[in-house]
Amino acid sequence: MLDVARIRADFPILNRQVHGRRLVYLDNGATTQKPVQVIEALTRFYSLHNANVHRGVHTLSDEATELYEDVRAKVAAFINAHSAAEIVFTRNTTESINLVASGWARRNLRPGDEIVVTAMEHHSNLVPWQLAAAATGARVRAIPFLADGTLDMDNARQVLGSGKARLLAVVHMSNVLGTINPVEELTRLAHDAGALVLVDGAQSVPHLPTDVRELDADFLAFSAHKMLGPTGVGVLWGRRGLLDAMDPYQGGGSMIATVEIEHSTWAETPQKFEAGTPNIADVVAFGAAIDYLLDLGMGNVRAHEVALTRYALEQLAALPETHIFGPAQPEQRGGIITFGYAGLHPHDIAQVLDQYGVAVRAGHHCTQPLHRALNLDVGATTRASLYIYNDRDDIDALVDALGRTGRFFGVTGAHSGSGVPR
Ligand SMILES: Cc1ncc(COP(=O)(O)O)c(C=O)c1O
């Protein structure tokens, strides 16, 4: 599997202390830390190759263009896309989804059409569809999830089979429950019903081997910053024919073929969707992040997280006041462990854990409908999320600090209060 000690040596930030303690970084669902290889790729670009892309004929511009386009090809290979032309660089997952909502949904949806989502979507894969629905007269419908955190597939069959579904927008791995949704099966159901499928891969692409040909969906969105890369870079993969038929997202330089005063024609896909100067340096550094993950092997990344998640679930379950959300089996989920503890408010938990150097997230994690469906007495939970540099010591530190948090608040073990189901 993974040599965590060797990996940790590549992440300078993991050497720092927080409140005089070793940093235990368990907020990888929000963003991951960056290895020295990515940091150096960024400074190397600015030190040696910095120029604008697709414009100049001088050497630096050629080099910058080649480095930028090489990463497009690298991303295509990483997810087994047919060609680099299917890869659009955006700012993040959110922008990738908005691009489809704007360029496809607004043009193609009609009153009465349905955009099908799930009750476990991140706001990024919900609000853009609400905007598109408001603009077109379409309706957003959600497939609920069951008590074990898995999707209600009977309902999915019913909703997708209603004859009204035009698009299924579904998260591959929930950023709260950790649930890995059966995207291939859902895609079959949606396609049988004549609907397109957009997969929100923000949490899955960084943690699971991803093959867009096997998924067979129509669009896939993900963010570089959740997979060791810099902030400010996202990816939209789409089927070439669909991208070609879509409206541009923004107008400006670099996305045109010809421009007249009153009208213009567009450049080919994917340039059509990349108006203005892109985030060149960060895209180049994202290439170093992909190299790093390829070097580890995504199968090994997944195996490491399954083993560590199993350990974390066991250790947390041993704390009597803990309630863990999402599927019980590590094979059915990612390394995202959301819990309620001893009736304490998640913000209190996260704040005390921080005093012990343990970084976790507290709140609704941009999933208010999901938290409403959990029927908690506060709309918030605490989330620990794992990645390649986490090990059993980190889990032990979390569990130890949680026990201390309970003692700090004088918890007696009662299940009455915030953060546990009513
Ligand atoms: C499942 C899911 N979708 C979408 C997003 C949005 O990602 P970004 O903020 O990079 O656009 C996130 C980020 O937390 C996420 O977890």
Side-chain angles (χ1 to χ4, degrees):
M1 272 200 263
L2 302 185
D3 181 349
V4 175
R6 209 205 77 206
I7 290 170
R8 291 181 67 88
D10 288 331
F11 290 79
I13 206 167
L14 297 180
N15 291 323
R16 71 158 285 185
Q17 302 227 316
V18 171
H19 300 300
R21 311 243 177 182
R22 176 177 82 85
L23 168 64
V24 177
Y25 188 77
L26 295 172
D27 194 17
N28 295 289
T31 198
T32 62
Q33 300 302 346
K34 320 303 173 198
V36 72
Q37 290 85 341
V38 169
I39 298 166
E40 280 172 3
L42 200 55
T43 53
R44 196 166 51 244
F45 178 80
Y46 281 127
S47 305
L48 296 175
H49 308 292
N50 181 51
N52 213 327
V53 291
H54 303 140
R55 291 182 189 191
V57 284
H58 61 79
T59 300
L60 293 189
S61 181
D62 274 352
E63 288 174 7
T65 303
E66 197 175 322
L67 287 165
Y68 181 79
E69 291 301 326
D70 279 354
V71 177
R72 199 190 300 279
K74 209 170 266 186
V75 172
F78 188 73
I79 59 171
N80 199 26
H82 283 100
S83 92
E86 296 172 346
I87 304 298
V88 180
F89 286 122
T90 62
R91 280 189 305 139
N92 46 37
T93 302
T94 304
E95 190 171 56
S96 298
I97 295 171
N98 275 280
L99 195 163
V100 179
S102 164
W104 182 84
R106 283 181 188 238
R107 176 193 260 205
N108 291 292
L109 296 181
R110 303 279 173 269
D113 287 346
E114 288 183 356
I115 304 166
V116 179
V117 297
T118 78
M120 62 173 88
E121 296 310 320
H122 189 281
H123 297 163
S124 292
N125 199 27
L126 184 54
V127 182
W129 306 121
Q130 294 171 350
L131 294 172
T136 59
R139 173 184 171 213
V140 179
R141 260 184 101 171
I143 303 167
F145 57 87
L146 304 172
D148 67 355
T150 61
L151 214 53
D152 182 342
M153 290 302 288
D154 288 339
N155 184 277
R157 272 177 217 103
Q158 210 178 311
V159 171
L160 290 170
S162 75
K164 294 183 183 162
R166 296 290 314 281
L167 176 77
L168 169 68
V170 59
V171 66
H172 194 176
M173 183 193 291
S174 161
N175 66 313
V176 175
L177 304 171
T179 313
I180 298 172
N181 285 317
V183 167
E184 291 173 38
E185 190 182 346
L186 287 164
T187 298
R188 265 195 305 280
L189 292 171
H191 282 173
D192 285 351
L196 295 184
V197 179
L198 177 139
V199 175
D200 173 354
Q203 298 294 342
S204 60
V205 175
H207 301 274
L208 306 175
T210 304
D211 183 329
V212 290
R213 298 187 210 185
E214 276 177 17
L215 287 180
D216 201 34
D218 302 289
F219 301 103
L220 173 71
F222 54 102
S223 297
H225 72 93
K226 293 184 195 287
M227 49 193 291
L228 310 179
T231 51
V233 178
V235 173
L236 173 68
W237 167 83
R239 288 185 193 278
R240 182 72 196 264
L242 287 170
L243 293 175
D244 285 349
M246 268 161 59
D247 290 329
Y249 180 48
Q250 295 181 322
S254 301
M255 52 72 73
I256 50 82
T258 60
V259 178
E260 309 284 339
I261 290 295
E262 294 193 7
H263 58 87
S264 302
T265 57
W266 316 135
E268 300 265 295
T269 306
Q271 268 70 39
K272 180 172 73 172
F273 300 108
E274 294 182 13
T277 299
N279 190 351
I280 307 164
D282 289 312
V283 166
V284 171
F286 180 35
I290 292 178
D291 287 341
Y292 196 94
L293 289 171
L294 286 173
D295 194 38
L296 297 178
M298 288 307 294
N300 294 328
V301 169
R302 173 66 181 148
H304 169 74
E305 287 183 21
V306 168
L308 197 56
T309 301
R310 176 172 290 112
Y311 181 73
L313 292 175
E314 283 164 9
Q315 296 304 306
L316 284 169
L319 277 178
E321 304 92 341
T322 310
H323 179 88
I324 300 169
F325 299 97
Q329 296 306 321
E331 288 78 10
Q332 286 180 294
R333 61 184 296 153
I336 287 171
I337 300 151
T338 296
F339 56 90
Y341 175 59
L344 299 175
H345 195 286
H347 286 132
D348 291 335
I349 295 174
Q351 207 164 351
V352 179
L353 289 184
D354 182 60
Q355 295 300 310
Y356 293 100
V358 180
V360 297
R361 198 163 197 82
H364 55 62
H365 319 295
C366 298
T367 56
Q368 288 187 6
L370 181 153
H371 277 79
R372 231 165 268 128
L374 289 178
N375 194 26
L376 308 174
D377 51 5
V378 291
T381 50
T382 310
R383 178 183 77 183
S385 48
L386 315 175
Y387 211 25
I388 52 174
Y389 34 70
N390 293 122
D391 57 12
R392 287 184 169 213
D393 287 349
D394 293 343
I395 305 301
D396 293 344
L398 167 69
V399 172
D400 180 64
L402 262 180
R404 290 170 191 270
T405 307
R407 288 194 286 282
F408 177 83
F409 285 105
V411 165
T412 56
H415 269 78
S416 59
S418 312
V420 292
R422 270 198 259 256

